Amino acid sequence: NAEQYIHQCIDSILYQNFKDFELILVNDGSKDKSLIICEEYTKKHSCIQLINQQNAGPSKARNTGLEHAQGKYILFLDSDDWVAVDMYEKLYLKAISTNADIVNCDYFEYYSDNDIRTIVKYPKSVFDQVKEESNKHFILQMPAAWHNLYKIGLFKSNLLFPEHTFYEDAAIMSTIFLLANRIVKVNIPLYYYRMNNI
């Protein structure tokens, strides 16, 4: 139910500097015009795959995306958020140049009612290290799923987002980050996290 925001969300992906991607839209039983909007985009852009399912929550939607993804890397984007035009390029190039399993970036918390953007940063010292040390620090910060680039191999058929639970990000991210051999960071905000309830 993100009809108010979903144009901005999808456009921010389609306008990326990096073009070699597939965009999987999962309509999780929306009751507004979100599905109609997604269908319009799908007709115009061959890189989009639209999947329609009964409402089952964000975990099921992410798991559905994982099930259909064909790429070597994956990012998650909530339907009311958007990303900087160079986010995917910067994170991908960082992953390639460092052989990282996960690449993280800072993000903006965006408040629609007053148009205020607050930058949320992680300490750079936490990153750019191999396994154990950096991963432990990161897990303590309860990371969200949506401002990271992942090697898709970190997610396995038996390692998915737990469904029918709150804070589903935190429930799986600690395991994902412990599986990563290298986590690095792009030290600028590239993700816009909208502080709204939809």
Side-chain angles (χ1 to χ4, degrees):
N1 296 327
E3 63 179 12
Q4 183 179 351
Y5 311 113
I6 199 164
H7 281 291
Q8 184 179 27
C9 175
I10 295 175
D11 285 345
S12 75
I13 301 171
L14 294 176
Y15 297 154
Q16 288 291 303
N17 294 339
F18 182 82
K19 299 298 184 184
D20 186 17
F21 65 85
E22 60 177 347
L23 171 54
I24 301 173
L25 303 176
V26 181
N27 176 54
D28 187 49
S30 61
K31 298 184 183 301
D32 62 0
K33 295 179 180 178
S34 295
L35 176 58
I36 295 173
I37 295 170
C38 289
E39 289 173 338
E40 292 173 350
Y41 275 100
T42 303
K43 292 175 183 177
K44 297 177 182 177
H45 301 276
S46 60
C47 64
I48 297 178
Q49 178 183 177
L50 174 60
I51 302 167
N52 195 33
Q53 65 184 31
Q54 292 185 344
N55 178 252
S59 288
K60 177 61 177 177
R62 287 178 178 148
N63 291 339
T64 297
L66 282 166
E67 180 183 348
H68 289 83
Q70 299 296 312
K72 296 179 181 179
Y73 297 87
I74 193 164
L75 301 101
F76 302 99
L77 178 57
D78 290 351
S79 57
D80 59 333
D81 298 340
W82 74 100
V83 293
V85 69
D86 55 349
M87 177 178 173
Y88 292 179
E89 180 180 58
K90 287 186 181 299
L91 268 58
Y92 175 75
L93 291 177
K94 189 76 168 179
I96 295 299
S97 64
T98 61
N99 192 31
D101 296 303
I102 300 173
V103 182
N104 174 271
C105 67
D106 297 323
Y107 64 94
F108 293 98
E109 288 184 345
Y110 178 74
Y111 297 82
S112 299
D113 55 347
N114 51 21
D115 199 35
I116 292 178
R117 301 174 185 179
T118 303
I119 298 176
V120 179
K121 291 189 174 186
Y122 290 108
K124 194 172 191 305
S125 60
V126 170
F127 300 89
D128 299 325
Q129 302 175 54
V130 295
K131 212 171 176 76
E132 298 304 325
E133 188 64 24
S134 63
N135 298 18
K136 288 177 183 176
H137 283 295
F138 193 93
I139 289 165
L140 291 176
Q141 299 188 45
M142 300 303 286
W146 36 257
H147 60 116
N148 308 302
L149 172 73
Y150 310 87
K151 282 186 178 177
I152 200 166
L154 292 173
F155 295 90
K156 304 173 183 177
S157 59
N158 61 343
L159 183 57
L160 299 172
F161 289 92
E163 299 176 17
H164 310 297
T165 184
F166 293 105
Y167 306 110
E168 75 284 347
D169 293 15
I172 188 175
M173 285 297 100
S174 58
T175 302
I176 292 296
F177 277 84
L178 285 173
L179 287 173
N181 289 313
R182 184 179 293 274
I183 304 168
V184 299
K185 181 186 177 188
V186 173
N187 199 37
I188 53 176
L190 296 167
Y191 190 101
Y192 291 80
Y193 180 71
R194 193 184 300 272
M195 303 299 289
N196 283 341
N197 292 318
I198 63 168

